[in-house]
Amino acid sequence: MAKKRPQTKADRPQLSDAEVPVVGAREPCPCGSGRRYKACHGRAAAHAVTELVQRPFEGLPGECDWVALRELVPAATAELTLKDGLPEDVPSVTLATVLPMAWPALRRDDGSILLGLQNDTASGDLSRDLADTLQRALQAQPGTPVQGRRAPVGGPRLQDLLDLQAPFEPVVQSGFEFWVPDAENATPEVTASLERANAAAIPTARLTGVDAAYWCETPEKNHLRWVMPHPEEQLLDALARLHAAGRSHLGEGTRLVGSFRAHGLTVPVWDLPSGVTADDVEKPAAEFAERLAAALAATEPLTPEERRARGGLTNRQVTLS
């Protein structure tokens, strides 16, 4: 019998982990290892998809407002400043809570970019997904939306792309007309999406005297939802001290009813009478901030009454993300 000739393999270019593209799980891994993708670099990709980053906006200016715009505010925008500056053909980059047809991003006809925040993402790192969308929007043709996809493993995060010294200043909008510069000439699809979004939007306002506190109006009662940066356990202790002392309110007829947990931060929520406006709650909120600062500085153990108040607040906590 003829002897089998030894198999020889052509030299393949070596790829770094960041350069290995995503392929089907059963396909050969593009790195050239000879193994299937799922048994090679696909393991790291799968882990990156499922690993949840608890505080995706940590380190960004205005982290609390990022959380509010992601989870609480229907219509708002904020100008973003890139660390390396804008390309010549991109006049501006604007963060928006929602875009028409739930697009992840939109490159307008004039080259400006709208980046959507309230979209489903494919991985557990919202910051990485948004950064990937932003990078693709910078390369998109004017007048085109950017579609969603799974961000490459090891890609940059918003913290890598944005200027961390630039302020983050959200502007709450009364509707979604900011989507298009000329709403009268929008396509029927965009017009229909705009009408649906405006009909569903809850009137919302950002307080000016304290950070990341948002008033909203609902048919039955109004609310104040205040995203706070303090560690959760410390904040709950402080709220419990104030609640037990009858000092957790924001004025007559108002009541601290619980809190949300969102992207690693805690969001206390107050019920307000329907007649209480955002302007009405400005002074009480500033006064509450002073009481809270004192309660946060307290170090003595909680009293039995304070522990009961804390248990009530914890039982009424809802996780949004």
Side-chain angles (χ1 to χ4, degrees):
M1 296 178 63
K3 293 183 179 180
K4 292 183 179 179
R5 294 181 179 178
Q7 296 288 326
T8 60
K9 293 183 180 180
D11 291 337
R12 298 192 181 201
Q14 296 298 311
L15 301 177
S16 68
D17 290 349
E19 295 174 326
V20 176
V22 176
V23 298
R26 299 178 65 83
E27 296 181 38
C29 187
C31 75
S33 66
R35 291 181 291 173
R36 290 178 177 174
Y37 178 69
K38 69 176 182 180
C40 192
H41 279 83
R43 289 179 175 176
H47 179 70
V49 167
T50 57
E51 185 178 16
L52 178 64
V53 176
Q54 296 291 339
R55 288 179 62 180
F57 307 120
E58 185 176 14
L60 292 175
E63 177 188 6
C64 294
D65 283 306
W66 278 88
V67 172
L69 266 58
R70 166 71 182 185
E71 299 295 339
L72 306 175
V73 182
T77 57
E79 296 302 311
L80 299 180
T81 303
L82 303 190
K83 180 174 63 177
D84 297 329
L86 293 172
E88 291 184 1
D89 59 344
V90 179
S92 64
V93 175
T94 303
L95 183 74
T97 48
V98 180
L99 294 181
M101 277 80 77
W103 288 328
L106 172 65
R107 182 83 183 271
R108 284 173 157 168
D109 291 335
D110 66 355
S112 62
I113 291 171
L114 291 177
L115 177 66
L117 182 57
Q118 296 180 10
N119 292 305
D120 293 334
T121 56
S123 81
D125 187 350
L126 179 57
S127 177
R128 195 180 309 281
D129 290 332
L130 287 167
D132 176 66
T133 300
L134 175 56
Q135 285 188 311
R136 290 187 291 125
L138 291 169
Q139 301 298 323
Q141 293 297 316
T144 60
V146 176
Q147 303 300 327
R149 75 168 188 181
R150 187 173 69 187
V153 178
R157 309 177 73 238
L158 287 175
Q159 289 82 346
D160 302 315
L161 301 183
L162 300 182
D163 181 355
L164 302 185
Q165 303 305 314
F168 184 73
E169 300 175 341
V171 177
V172 176
Q173 307 286 347
S174 59
F176 295 89
E177 282 73 20
F178 65 86
W179 281 352
V180 285
D182 185 6
E184 293 183 357
N185 295 321
T187 65
E189 293 83 1
V190 170
T191 299
S193 185
L194 177 62
E195 291 175 351
R196 289 193 301 269
N198 280 341
I202 296 173
T204 302
R206 183 175 184 265
L207 300 194
T208 59
V210 295
D211 292 333
Y214 290 81
W215 169 94
C216 67
E217 180 183 19
T218 62
E220 296 182 357
K221 63 184 69 175
N222 298 344
H223 305 279
L224 185 74
R225 301 177 291 189
W226 191 341
V227 186
M228 296 187 172
H230 317 292
E232 181 179 356
E233 296 302 314
Q234 182 187 10
L235 177 58
L236 289 175
D237 281 352
L239 292 173
R241 295 180 194 276
L242 295 175
H243 202 61
R247 305 182 69 208
S248 64
H249 60 82
L250 297 175
E252 184 178 355
T254 68
R255 185 167 66 99
L256 175 64
V257 293
S259 63
F260 297 132
R261 183 188 291 114
H263 302 290
L265 299 182
T266 303
V267 188
V269 178
W270 285 263
D271 279 352
L272 312 173
S274 58
V276 173
T277 67
D279 288 340
D280 294 333
V281 83
E282 285 278 8
K283 182 178 178 181
E287 294 171 345
F288 177 84
E290 295 180 358
R291 300 197 299 272
L292 179 63
L296 287 167
T299 57
E300 62 271 15
L302 297 180
T303 66
E305 185 177 359
E306 290 168 346
R307 287 199 298 271
R308 286 193 294 273
R310 193 186 194 282
L313 292 172
T314 303
N315 289 338
R316 296 191 296 275
Q317 191 173 48
V318 176
T319 299
L320 298 181
S321 60

